[in-house]
Amino acid sequence: MENEKIVVAQKKSTLLLYIICLVFACAFTAWLVFDLEVGDGGSRMKLLISTPLGAAAARIFFAVFAVVCLYAAVVLTKRLINGKPLIIADESGITDNSSDIGFVPWSDVKRIYLVTMKHNKLIQVELECPEEYLYRLSGLAREAVGLNMKLGYQPISFSLNGTGKKLDKILAELTALWERNK
């Protein structure tokens, strides 16, 4: 089929909800970091944090968690403002905007398959030579994709959560498009 195009984008309302939840989690954990008290007198978490060492460990944990939440909120805000779909596929190849790998011609795709991780299903696009595409990523993104690859996942790996698309349908369409054009 000529000019067939598959576009997978996250719903803006879902992205906004994720961002609000992350900002709330960041603010709440930051409040915990600065409002922890040690000892018996008025301690909000005295059962868990009854020593100065316990309080310090909790502060470090909550501070790291707040930074991670803030980073995720910034990434999702950029995605919301940017407005690019996560994945675009046509007869020439697949464009991955979810990890910023960008365009990959079908000739560089080895296979497309589904994996289940916990209760989440991911579409994986296995590349013939993934190292060629890693240089396109920023340092932090390259590290994240490299870690995923060490865990057995592919550089192009995406979930359809928050897109409103049916996973089986998109997987079948992607596979058929790849088969016709590889």
Side-chain angles (χ1 to χ4, degrees):
M1 187 181 295
E2 192 86 14
N3 295 327
E4 183 180 1
K5 190 178 235 181
I6 300 167
V7 178
V8 178
Q10 281 189 305
K11 292 180 182 177
K12 295 203 181 288
S13 59
T14 304
L15 277 175
L16 191 58
L17 181 62
Y18 290 162
I19 293 165
I20 290 168
C21 289
L22 285 166
V23 168
F24 177 75
C26 180
F28 180 71
T29 55
W31 172 76
L32 284 174
V33 167
F34 295 110
D35 201 41
L36 284 175
E37 296 176 17
V38 180
D40 295 331
S43 175
R44 287 182 172 75
M45 305 178 87
K46 66 182 172 184
L47 292 176
L48 295 174
I49 306 158
S50 59
T51 66
L53 182 60
R59 280 190 174 98
I60 291 169
F61 172 80
F62 289 130
V64 169
F65 184 76
V67 169
V68 168
C69 287
L70 185 61
Y71 176 76
V74 168
V75 168
L76 291 178
T77 301
K78 283 181 181 178
R79 190 174 287 170
L80 180 69
I81 292 168
N82 172 315
K84 288 183 183 175
L86 296 173
I87 298 290
I88 303 168
D90 58 23
E91 64 273 350
S92 60
I94 186 166
T95 302
D96 176 21
N97 294 319
S98 65
S99 66
D100 292 331
I101 283 182
F103 178 75
V104 177
W106 289 123
S107 59
D108 288 354
V109 174
K110 192 173 185 177
R111 70 182 176 133
I112 300 172
Y113 61 98
L114 181 73
V115 337
T116 302
M117 181 176 74
K118 302 266 181 192
H119 300 290
N120 193 18
K121 293 181 179 181
L122 302 168
I123 294 177
Q124 301 276 296
V125 179
E126 185 176 350
L127 304 176
E128 291 287 347
C129 191
E131 296 79 21
E132 290 181 19
Y133 292 92
L134 293 181
Y135 78 91
R136 297 179 181 181
L137 303 173
S138 67
L140 188 58
R142 189 178 306 122
E143 289 297 319
V145 169
L147 180 60
N148 278 345
M149 289 174 65
K150 286 179 185 173
L151 294 172
Y153 299 104
Q154 300 303 322
I156 300 177
S157 176
F158 59 96
S159 167
L160 296 183
N161 293 345
T163 64
K165 305 276 186 182
K166 295 198 181 295
L167 184 115
D168 295 334
K169 182 180 181 223
I170 295 295
L171 179 62
E173 289 174 358
L174 275 175
T175 304
L177 190 58
W178 168 63
E179 286 288 337
R180 282 193 303 275
N181 296 290
K182 60 181 175 177

